[in-house]
Amino acid sequence: MKPIYITDLDHTFLRTDLSISPFSAQTWNDKAENALMGIATARSFTKSQELLKKLHINAPLILLDGSIIVTADKKLIDLKTLDKEIGDAIVNVGLQFDIDPFIIGIKDSNINEAFLYPRKLNDYQKTVLQGYKDDPRMQFNPKNQTMEQNLKIVYFGYEEQLRPLYNEIVKIFGNTIEAKLSPEKYGGGYFLTLLHPEGDKAHALNKVMEYLERDSKDVTVFGDSVNDIGMFKIAGTSVAVSNALDEVKAVADVVLPHSNDEDGVARYLEHI
């Protein structure tokens, strides 16, 4: 049977400037001739296609932290969303901490996304928003309301503000949602991601294995951040790049000597 490789993108396979080196692209495409190659990312289908246009992807794509699983031609495999009632309830908790979220939801039957940005932006959120300048999916959300199908709700800020919010949300909503608080070490801030309880990468990886009629022990995964830990724990082999967070390295089977900016994933693929 063909081996299976699934990688995170940001700070793992992609370089920090979001580029893919010719070496990484060639190594990936050579490997794809005899293996199944896929991704597990916080990014959307549209952005992933844009960033990965040089790559041959022949395994399902895990997108938006695991909320959506699709094939390379956008055939839907699985979708996990938060409904409007729970979404609005989460936003109301955030208001108590004087912070508004970004909301990513489904806007039509073709599972195209809308990115709603809030009426009030902190300094970190302003920086994030600059990265989406001229993105047609961005919509101003003056009433601070969620959508009928919310893929994820994300708060950007600093730990001293987001840690208390995270604790309060976990206390109120418990296991009805998946909550992940993570450092963004390149920007100095934190982000709090709220998902359907089965909308994370670990559940998505199991779904992909079911779709491929394979066991999770057959897959090698690559990552660097908190949202990768769940799939690290169930994959047959888990590989952390050298720039991964310490808590990710602690659960990895392999810690690479090279970072994302040094083509760590491609170097590993070339030598196995």
Side-chain angles (χ1 to χ4, degrees):
M1 292 188 291
K2 290 184 176 182
I4 306 168
Y5 302 100
I6 295 178
T7 184
D8 173 55
L9 294 183
D10 291 78
H11 310 311
T12 300
F13 187 75
L14 297 176
R15 293 191 164 192
T16 303
D17 64 3
L18 303 185
S19 67
I20 300 172
S21 73
F23 168 73
S24 281
Q26 186 63 53
T27 301
W28 176 289
N29 290 333
D30 287 347
K31 186 65 68 174
E33 293 180 8
N34 297 294
L36 297 176
M37 309 291 291
I39 63 169
T41 178
R43 292 190 176 273
S44 68
F45 182 84
T46 302
K47 192 63 178 179
S48 296
Q49 274 197 320
E50 177 187 324
L51 293 169
L52 305 178
K53 56 189 175 185
K54 298 178 182 178
L55 303 186
H56 176 52
I57 297 174
N58 56 5
L61 292 77
I62 297 171
L63 304 170
L64 293 166
D65 287 305
S67 297
I68 297 180
I69 309 170
V70 295
T71 63
D73 58 0
K74 212 177 180 182
K75 174 187 173 184
L76 182 64
I77 296 173
D78 196 34
L79 175 68
K80 301 295 185 187
T81 61
L82 297 170
D83 63 31
K84 182 172 176 56
E85 181 179 359
I86 195 168
D88 287 342
I90 290 169
V91 170
N92 286 334
V93 176
L95 293 176
Q96 299 172 29
F97 292 81
D98 195 31
I99 184 168
D100 299 342
F102 285 72
I103 299 159
I104 300 95
I106 296 291
K107 72 176 182 180
D108 59 37
S109 59
N110 292 320
I111 61 169
N112 291 310
E113 312 99 355
F115 284 29
L116 310 185
Y117 64 94
R119 57 195 173 185
K120 181 174 60 180
L121 296 165
N122 60 35
D123 290 342
Y124 193 74
Q125 288 171 321
K126 290 175 183 176
T127 301
V128 171
L129 192 58
Q130 281 296 312
Y132 289 92
K133 188 178 180 181
D134 301 323
D135 189 320
R137 296 168 300 168
M138 300 302 293
Q139 298 178 21
F140 180 45
N141 187 22
K143 294 185 178 179
N144 221 30
Q145 294 183 343
T146 60
M147 304 176 70
E148 294 300 326
Q149 291 182 288
N150 301 286
L151 295 162
K152 63 179 182 177
I153 298 171
V154 187
Y155 288 91
F156 294 96
Y158 298 97
E159 185 177 12
E160 59 268 24
Q161 185 178 30
L162 293 186
R163 179 75 61 183
L165 173 58
Y166 167 79
N167 291 337
E168 185 68 12
I169 284 176
V170 169
K171 182 175 75 173
I172 293 172
F173 297 100
N175 60 9
T176 63
I177 63 168
E178 175 76 13
K180 294 185 184 296
L181 179 63
S182 308
E184 207 300 292
K185 56 186 177 181
Y186 295 91
Y190 269 67
F191 57 98
L192 171 58
T193 304
L194 307 169
L195 306 156
H196 184 282
E198 295 182 3
D200 63 329
K201 288 186 181 182
H203 282 91
L205 182 62
N206 279 329
K207 284 286 185 183
V208 167
M209 292 301 105
E210 289 176 14
Y211 178 82
L212 295 174
E213 298 183 338
R214 299 283 294 276
D215 190 275
S216 61
K217 300 305 179 185
D218 296 336
V219 65
T220 297
V221 298
F222 304 86
D224 76 294
S225 194
V226 172
N227 65 347
D228 299 313
I229 290 175
M231 67 176 186
F232 269 39
K233 291 180 176 179
I234 62 175
T237 304
S238 56
V239 183
V241 285
S242 68
N243 54 291
L245 297 174
D246 289 342
E247 52 263 55
V248 179
K249 293 178 180 179
V251 297
D253 297 311
V254 178
V255 178
L256 299 177
H258 301 102
S259 71
N260 64 312
D261 286 321
E262 299 167 318
D263 300 320
V265 172
R267 288 172 184 265
Y268 179 89
L269 291 172
E270 184 186 43
H271 286 100
I272 55 173

